[in-house]
Amino acid sequence: MEEQMDLTDFSAGAQYIAGRLTEGTGTEPFQVVNPADGSVVQQVRLASTGDVDTAVAAAKAAFPEWSRATPGARSEALLKLAAILGERAEEFARTESAQTGKPIKLATEFDVPGTVDNTAFFAGAARNLEGKAAGEYSGDHTSYVRREAIGVVGSISPWNYPLQMAAWKILPAIAAGNTIVLKPAELTPLTSLMFARACTEAGIPDGVVNVVTGAGRPAGEHLISHPDVAMVSFTGSTPVGKRVAELATATVKRTHLELGGKAPFVVFDDADLEAAVHGAAAASLINSGQDCTAATRAYVQRPLYEAFVAGVAELFAAIRLGNPLNPQTDLGPLVSYTHRDRVAGFVERARGYGATIVTGGQAPDTGHDGTDLTRGAYYRPTLITGVAQDSEVVQGEIFGPVLVVLPFESDDEGLRLANDTPYGLAASAWTTDVHRSLRATREIAAGCVWVNDHIPIISEMPHGGYKSSGYGKDMSQYSLDEYTQVKHVMFDTTAVARKDWHRTIFGDR
């Protein structure tokens, strides 16, 4: 029986390059902190630009062999990876909870199984790269399309879903035959490193999947700008995404950007009120609101407005904050004290310009289980009303457990307000009228529009935004369009030396 790696042992370092853990050569040690209590989960040494160069070189060296591997061989490795992830699910869930503070029930029932399913999906997708049927489109030639890997992909993933986002970056890239250097957020690198080590255990060759744990500057910017990186994929805030695009443009790299969101939650007057209330609480508080698709702006048609606010306030007040490892805990801390203070700043400024804080609006002292929450980066679920459409809490990405509710009168107004932000990642419409739902899904400018639900994602369907939420798709077969180049191949079928079209250039007919 093969001996398993200890995926959680980072004693050799926090860089995973060419199939091995190594120490970073950056000058400063960095502490990965559990935001639930401030304890140090792991101390790491961050990557320098030299470490990035080493990782890119490893990926470049691995590319020829991996890109020529058969789809079946890549699929087999990914199937084995899915099995390993499933077998080690508890290790992944506990590590994910420790570095992010998210409740163990969310890590166990959402993050890890979603990643396992995504891996199994791309094992199948690796064998199904699609193209136009070969044929004689000109009459005198046979044409067909090749889908080819791009090369070394430089990817940067965020801290809110470290494991899932590592998978969303790595899986389509390598399924299509690319190699990758992933830079996870330095706050939460551990499950990305575990994922890369599992890739090696699954038989994926050294250098195909590399992880550099470093700060955005210098490691991230050096990766994006590296001349041997052919493509950049980034998930994070819109301001940083603009910087990524700027750097990538200098070397004409392909870019894939999944950026910020400010998802509207539109409740029409014929909606099932109970469903909408429960949906709003779940959709706004998932992962402590640190989700780019989370419901952040609820627009409720006037007849249901007061009952909706009352219902959501009641649910918010009953949410159980506590020790993330307690299976009964509903809401964990925000990812850091700095981020908690940023979220609180949005709420305090809203209070200052006259908003009504219906519930929440402060950090808690004690959890439902008696846990001292003052040591952690906790913030109560917060419901805000009485603000204008152009206010900061309506337009800005708060990225915390905060829901703003505004009323609307007509359907036209509700849909106009839903589209009235720079973002367009996700949205939902709540109605029992099929015509209203069809209109909402057609007119709301977002990459995903749910009807009578908000948040569920599946591996078979794409995820990606409109407008300032970026471009390109994660998950699904569509993501392989991002990670492949399309090549047209054309064969002459006539064996005629003097072709008729030559006469347009020289000679007579």
Side-chain angles (χ1 to χ4, degrees), residues 481-498:
D481 292 342
E482 312 297 331
Y483 293 96
T484 54
Q485 302 188 93
V486 174
K487 178 186 287 184
H488 170 212
V489 178
M490 180 180 260
F491 288 88
D492 170 63
T493 59
T494 66
V496 172
R498 298 182 180 182

Side-chain angles (χ1 to χ4, degrees), residues 296-314:
T296 59
R297 301 177 288 138
Y299 298 102
V300 184
Q301 206 151 22
R302 186 69 71 176
L304 296 185
Y305 176 76
E306 290 187 6
F308 179 88
V309 170
V312 173
E314 183 179 356

Side-chain angles (χ1 to χ4, degrees), residues 108-314:
T108 301
E109 298 178 30
F110 183 75
D111 297 62
V112 175
T115 302
V116 174
D117 182 73
N118 211 227
T119 306
F121 171 81
F122 278 106
R127 304 184 77 151
N128 191 34
L129 289 175
E130 295 180 345
K132 195 175 182 73
E136 290 67 53
Y137 295 97
S138 78
D140 292 335
H141 305 82
T142 296
S143 290
Y144 66 85
V145 169
R146 291 178 57 88
R147 279 195 178 272
E148 297 182 348
I150 295 170
V152 177
V153 178
S155 289
I156 298 178
S157 58
W159 46 256
N160 56 336
Y161 292 101
L163 176 61
Q164 283 198 316
M165 295 299 99
W168 285 19
K169 299 299 182 195
I170 291 169
L171 292 169
I174 67 173
N178 302 285
T179 56
I180 188 168
V181 178
L182 174 75
K183 193 203 84 63
E186 65 271 24
L187 292 175
T188 55
L190 303 182
T191 47
S192 299
L193 291 163
M194 291 169 64
F195 189 92
R197 298 185 82 183
C199 288
T200 298
E201 191 172 318
I204 294 171
D206 293 349
V208 172
V209 177
N210 308 275
V211 176
V212 290
T213 301
R217 293 177 178 169
E221 292 204 353
H222 190 63
L223 177 62
I224 295 162
S225 304
H226 201 289
D228 289 333
V229 169
M231 174 185 168
V232 171
S233 178
F234 170 80
T235 296
S237 72
T238 296
V240 178
K242 291 178 180 178
R243 175 62 176 161
V244 169
E246 178 186 348
L247 291 169
T249 298
T251 47
V252 199
K253 300 185 196 306
R254 182 180 295 196
T255 55
H256 170 206
L257 304 176
E258 198 265 273
L259 306 178
K262 191 68 178 174
F265 187 101
V266 184
V267 182
F268 293 97
D269 59 14
D270 66 334
D272 180 325
L273 179 63
E274 182 183 15
V277 165
H278 282 79
S284 61
L285 299 181
I286 185 171
N287 202 35
S288 297
Q290 300 168 128
D291 186 311
C292 49
T293 63
T296 59
R297 301 177 288 138
Y299 298 102
V300 184
Q301 206 151 22
R302 186 69 71 176
L304 296 185
Y305 176 76
E306 290 187 6
F308 179 88
V309 170
V312 173
E314 183 179 356

Side-chain angles (χ1 to χ4, degrees), residues 278-355:
H278 282 79
S284 61
L285 299 181
I286 185 171
N287 202 35
S288 297
Q290 300 168 128
D291 186 311
C292 49
T293 63
T296 59
R297 301 177 288 138
Y299 298 102
V300 184
Q301 206 151 22
R302 186 69 71 176
L304 296 185
Y305 176 76
E306 290 187 6
F308 179 88
V309 170
V312 173
E314 183 179 356
L315 288 180
F316 272 24
I319 294 294
R320 297 168 296 184
L321 289 81
N323 179 355
L325 293 181
N326 184 330
Q328 273 72 55
T329 293
D330 298 320
L331 201 71
L334 296 168
V335 75
S336 70
Y337 308 104
T338 299
H339 187 59
R340 189 268 312 275
D341 293 345
R342 177 183 177 275
V343 170
F346 273 95
V347 177
E348 291 310 307
R349 289 190 296 275
R351 202 191 307 265
Y353 53 71

